[in-house]
Amino acid sequence: MKGIDKLAKVVTKVLEVTHWVAEALMLAAAISIVAAPQWLGYFVGLDTMGQEVELSAYGFEIMAPVVNGMVDTKTFVLFAIGAVIIFSLVAMIFRNLYLIIKKSEGTTPFQKDNVRMMREIGIFSIGIPVIGLIMNIIARLVLGPEAAEMSNSMEGFVMGIIVLCLTQFFAHGVELEKDVDGLL
């Protein structure tokens, strides 16, 4: 079991760091398209040969128009804002998973901090599709309904609800553990 815990800690930490890096790169790409739009294709590897390019981050998608080999600046910046927030939320999910695994080593997982972190994971998971939906609405208002084709996945919402329900079982486990410790 210790080998699995060690592997889980490494994987969650790598995924956390990867998402923080993705957030920084997306922020740099947003600055790049404003400062020097001709460099964006090289920076993020977008294929700007077609009429539009698909931008996607965890179910939040925007089809950005390509004009003269350049991605539409407003569309990309709006996508980047949503992607930065989403990457931050995913990084926080992996951070909390890492801390839960680390805190539970050699002891019980039924601890108040673990319950809090699981609750945060549920809230962050729900936040991902909500941010995508809000950014879709903002993009429609700013760009117009025909300017960009958009979609949003609500799978994170379902996962968040499930995690929040599991949190209640862990909270009950904390109470049971307190009762057992009180009897000894």
Side-chain angles (χ1 to χ4, degrees), residues 90-122:
V90 176
M92 292 300 293
I93 288 171
F94 285 116
R95 175 189 166 273
N96 281 359
L97 285 172
Y98 173 81
L99 291 173
I100 288 170
I101 294 165
K102 186 176 177 183
K103 195 164 182 58
S104 300
E105 286 179 333
T107 184
T108 178
F110 299 108
Q111 302 173 29
K112 278 187 172 186
D113 281 344
N114 286 353
V115 172
R116 177 189 52 80
M117 287 185 280
M118 281 185 63
R119 188 170 292 123
E120 288 173 359
I121 289 171

Side-chain angles (χ1 to χ4, degrees), residues 23-40 43-44 73 76-77 80-81 84:
E23 175 195 10
L25 289 174
M26 185 55 68
L27 194 57
I31 293 168
S32 170
I33 197 168
V34 172
Q38 68 275 13
W39 289 64
L40 184 68
F43 186 71
V44 293
T73 303
F76 189 86
V77 169
I81 291 168
V84 163

